[in-house]
Amino acid sequence: MQKPKFAAQPSATTHASGKQGTAALTLAALGVVYGDIGTSPLYTVKEVFAPHTGVPLDGPHLIGAISTIFWALMLVVTLKYVILILRADNHGEGGGLALTALAANAVAQRPALRRGLLLLGVGGATLFYGDSLITPAISVLGAMEGLEVLTPALKPYVVPATLFVLIGLFFVQRFGTAVVGRFFGPIIVLWFGVLGAVGAWHVMQQPAILAALNPWHAWEFLAARGWHMFVAVGAIVLALTGAEALYADMGHFGRRPIQIAWTGLVLPGLALNYLGQGALLMGDPSAIQNPFYRLFPEGWLLPALVLATLAAIIASQAVISGAYSLTKQAIQLGFLPRMRVRYTSALEIGQIYMPAVNWTLLAGVLAVVLFFRSSSALASAYGIAVTLTMMVTTILTYFVVREGWRLPAPVALGSTAFFLFIDAVLVAGCAIKFIDGGWFPLTLGLMLFVLMTTWRRGRELLMLSIRKDGLVLQDFIAQLDPSSLNRVERTAVYAVADPEMVPQALLHNLKHNQVLHARNVILTVRFQEVPWVPVDRRVDVQQLEHGFWRVQVNYGFMDSPNVPMALELTAPHGLVTSVFETSYFLSRETVVPTPGGGMSNWRERLFATMSQNAGGVAEFFRLPSNAVVELGTRVPI
């Protein structure tokens, strides 16, 4: 396997593992990783037997449906993700963009394929945002629908209660989840314990449901449906939503705690609950109105509702935090403009808050709740984005295991074909729901894909334009006569995207102020396709003539950039910078769309708008606000 340019820096998880141990990380993983898939029993079985699926509510079909759910969990979640996909880590990090970077590095010598995999990975990542809107909505709605079970008179309050919980959830994001996060694990442990206990009780009342553990009943159930099996599959896939979180959150907890949590508690709890709902319906078909809450005795309904609400909030929290993390990765890999990032914990590197993402998600989630108004209606929109993401993960993993790990072609192709077949069935089952709501996450994903590819292509065109019209730095320095200029005994740091060209801010400084600093640092920040860059590889320093230096600061896509701190590492190379004697000169480009090559005119205008509204360089790189000078320049593309 080709080694990356930079060795990976151990993540916060590595250090945490040594201090907390596997048990503490396993408990934490339960609270973050499994909230989404853990709330699926709230609505999955009800949707499998909804009128539009055409599945009869009788003993053989109950056994077949529960068997299909159980073996979907075994094949997709246990075999594919827990056992196999978790091994495809990018130096300890998981998730769509981390896997994309890993696959792209594996085919680095084939530029066309590499570009195609990057676009495929970005496409998969955009679908996650659709999930980020639907998961909070369907999880909290599914929990709040327990109010109807308490008394039908509370039905009109389901949607208002859902909106109230969601607004509160997004409002507290600004304070971070460091404190609340400590309670997530124990609550989810209680949640899965209750799921398993009430399920086991009903299984004991109807032990015939245990026949669902035989995979033959799953096969018979699907085969007997013919083409209508895809309708049932579209509902059964709801039991798998959240599987991607196992991989996406691997960097926070490590592979082993996630595997232990799944096999030790989550899978048994889910399996027993689905079996229990099947057993309940075999004895009382009228419970199909809400089989999850009907599992509980009447006196337990209110505690069950409270616990389900807490579990739904935790599931939503995990997806919201994932949206922050994914957005930060996309920014640092060059697919989105800079946005404001607030670090809400001095100890946990993953604890971030992004106001723009938070309020956009809140508006979207509230709109989704008001539009669909029930978990059953939302189930039509749920699933297609998740299953397409699963398919993208399978394709990208093939290039990792074949091109990166050099596994034999029959092994790589055989396993990929097997999982692609399963993915294709799941996607087809969800595609049937396109008109009923499946269009929503796909439309959102397409819009985000256009934005992300436009930004990346626009930045490429911007760099080409600057290089074409700019001055080569080495030639400029060679022709410079320092004796004819006023020198200031300070350090000027010019942040640029292209270190080979003279910064526009430097030319403006010479032209208008007639001054040249004693030390001029041409600074470039590079985000590598690895999650972490170690401190000893943080800076590359090159001394030029006439007091000029070229410095490249290297970060991984999970690192938190801090340029002043990085510049302190240049002292051993001979470049000493003082906080009180350093000024940062930034070029603020105003993009001017022009007819001709590059992108279509509407995309150039879109890029210009995105560029104009991008977050400031100073805040993103944590530059001291009282030492920053911004100089504007117009750049045609």
Side-chain angles (χ1 to χ4, degrees):
M1 178 177 179
Q2 181 183 3
K3 292 183 179 180
K5 182 177 179 181
F6 297 94
Q9 175 181 327
S11 68
T13 306
T14 305
H15 303 293
S17 180
K19 295 179 181 178
Q20 303 176 54
T22 302
L25 287 172
T26 301
L27 180 64
L30 279 166
V32 175
V33 176
Y34 293 109
D36 191 357
I37 199 169
T39 55
S40 295
L42 286 167
Y43 42 77
T44 298
V45 174
K46 179 176 67 173
E47 293 309 313
V48 172
F49 292 96
H52 70 273
T53 65
V55 180
L57 187 59
D58 55 33
H61 287 90
L62 275 166
I63 291 173
I66 300 301
S67 181
T68 305
I69 292 174
F70 175 78
W71 285 101
L73 290 172
M74 293 300 294
L75 291 176
V76 176
V77 184
T78 307
L79 180 58
K80 178 180 175 181
Y81 281 93
V82 174
I83 295 178
L84 298 178
I85 297 293
L86 285 181
R87 298 178 181 274
D89 65 288
N90 191 337
H91 301 284
E93 288 296 326
L97 288 179
L99 181 64
T100 300
L102 196 63
N105 279 333
V107 296
Q109 306 304 319
R110 299 151 73 180
L113 178 58
R114 182 180 185 279
R115 183 177 179 84
L117 291 180
L118 283 173
L119 290 176
L120 179 65
V122 169
T126 61
L127 295 171
F128 178 84
Y129 289 99
D131 188 30
S132 300
L133 293 183
I134 298 176
T135 292
I138 194 172
S139 297
V140 178
L141 261 175
M144 289 296 102
E145 285 169 352
L147 293 171
E148 300 178 46
V149 182
L150 283 173
T151 169
L154 292 177
K155 183 175 181 179
Y157 299 97
V158 169
V159 171
T162 299
L163 296 176
F164 177 79
V165 170
L166 288 171
I167 291 172
L169 175 63
F170 280 91
F171 183 81
V172 300
Q173 294 300 312
R174 68 175 69 184
F175 304 110
T177 57
V179 177
V180 181
R182 297 194 189 108
F183 300 100
F184 283 4
I187 291 172
I188 291 295
V189 169
L190 177 62
W191 171 251
F192 282 113
V194 170
L195 289 185
V198 297
W201 170 257
H202 285 278
V203 170
M204 288 189 290
Q205 311 307 308
Q206 291 283 348
I209 194 63
L210 292 175
L213 299 178
N214 183 347
W216 180 253
H217 292 293
W219 173 259
E220 281 189 326
F221 173 78
L222 295 175
R225 307 300 304 157
W227 288 106
H228 293 286
M229 107 176 152
F230 292 112
V231 180
V233 167
I236 289 168
V237 78
L238 296 173
L240 306 177
T241 56
E244 278 284 325
L246 278 72
Y247 182 49
D249 290 315
M250 180 169 55
H252 295 287
F253 308 105
R255 181 201 313 167
R256 184 164 174 77
I258 290 175
Q259 291 174 329
I260 292 173
W262 174 257
T263 55
L265 181 61
V266 179
L267 177 60
L270 290 174
L272 283 171
N273 195 264
Y274 285 123
L275 288 166
Q277 290 190 45
L280 169 68
L281 293 172
M282 289 179 75
D284 181 12
S286 67
I288 192 60
Q289 291 181 348
N290 202 315
F292 174 79
Y293 281 110
R294 291 288 294 273
L295 287 173
F296 297 89
E298 187 172 341
W300 288 20
L301 280 177
L302 186 57
L305 174 63
V306 173
L307 184 59
T309 302
L310 291 174
I313 290 172
I314 293 170
S316 304
Q317 176 65 61
V319 175
I320 295 166
S321 299
Y324 299 155
S325 181
L326 180 65
T327 303
K328 180 186 172 187
Q329 291 182 33
I331 290 170
Q332 298 186 171
L333 287 172
F335 287 103
L336 281 176
R338 292 177 300 274
M339 299 181 195
R340 184 183 175 196
V341 179
R342 279 181 48 196
Y343 298 87
T344 59
S345 171
L347 300 176
E348 299 293 333
I349 198 165
Q351 296 280 351
I352 62 173
Y353 168 65
M354 304 184 71
V357 176
N358 187 70
W359 302 123
T360 302
L361 281 178
L362 173 60
V365 170
L366 296 182
V368 165
V369 171
L370 292 171
F371 182 80
F372 289 97
R373 304 192 71 81
S374 74
S375 62
S376 294
L378 260 174
S380 298
Y382 206 31
I384 191 165
V386 177
T387 52
L388 282 172
T389 304
M390 290 178 177
M391 181 175 283
V392 170
T393 297
T394 301
I395 295 171
L396 292 174
T397 304
Y398 166 77
F399 290 96
V400 174
V401 301
R402 177 68 185 126
E403 304 291 339
W405 298 350
R406 300 296 181 186
L407 262 62
V411 174
L413 286 171
S415 58
T416 301
F418 174 73
F419 289 116
L420 270 181
F421 172 75
I422 295 177
D423 293 336
V425 172
L426 297 176
V427 170
C430 293
I432 293 176
K433 304 185 290 184
F434 179 82
I435 299 298
D436 295 325
W439 56 269
F440 174 76
L442 292 184
T443 303
L444 178 64
L446 179 61
M447 293 168 59
L448 288 171
F449 184 79
V450 170
L451 287 175
M452 293 171 79
T453 53
T454 297
W455 178 257
R456 186 163 178 106
R457 178 57 179 159
R459 291 297 298 175
E460 292 174 355
L461 293 174
L462 187 65
M463 292 303 101
L464 288 173
S465 180
I466 291 174
R467 175 171 284 272
K468 182 179 68 173
D469 299 329
L471 301 174
V472 177
L473 180 64
Q474 290 283 15
D475 295 344
F476 172 81
I477 295 175
Q479 297 172 8
L480 196 64
D481 181 11
S483 62
S484 64
L485 296 169
N486 296 318
R487 302 299 293 260
V488 179
E489 285 299 323
R490 288 178 60 86
T491 300
V493 177
Y494 296 93
V496 297
D498 188 348
E500 302 297 327
M501 309 303 292
V502 179
Q504 291 293 319
L506 173 59
L507 294 177
H508 284 304
N509 197 27
L510 283 173
K511 178 179 179 181
H512 298 292
N513 299 325
Q514 299 290 307
V515 68
L516 185 66
H517 288 68
R519 291 168 301 279
N520 298 275
V521 180
I522 311 303
L523 175 76
T524 310
V525 178
R526 290 280 184 261
F527 289 97
Q528 311 298 331
E529 291 178 349
V530 294
W532 314 96
V533 172
V535 174
D536 60 355
R537 302 286 185 89
R538 177 74 70 217
V539 295
D540 296 323
V541 181
Q542 180 185 5
Q543 184 173 5
L544 306 175
E545 296 178 317
H546 303 317
F548 279 82
W549 299 75
R550 185 183 284 134
V551 176
Q552 178 172 307
V553 181
N554 305 298
Y555 292 109
F557 57 77
M558 292 296 293
D559 279 318
S560 301
N562 188 320
V563 167
M565 185 179 296
L567 287 178
E568 294 177 6
L569 302 174
T570 62
H573 301 274
L575 175 60
V576 179
T577 59
S578 169
V579 174
F580 302 104
E581 296 180 357
T582 301
S583 299
Y584 296 87
F585 291 86
L586 308 177
S587 297
R588 183 91 180 187
E589 298 96 355
T590 300
V591 177
V592 182
T594 57
M599 295 187 293
S600 55
N601 188 255
W602 70 269
R603 289 187 72 193
E604 289 188 356
R605 293 183 179 277
L606 174 61
F607 173 71
T609 302
M610 295 173 70
S611 182
Q612 183 178 358
N613 291 282
V617 175
E619 184 177 39
F620 189 78
F621 292 120
R622 302 199 193 182
L623 305 182
S625 56
N626 60 352
V628 173
V629 179
E630 287 198 21
L631 299 170
T633 181
R634 294 171 63 85
V635 182
I637 62 170

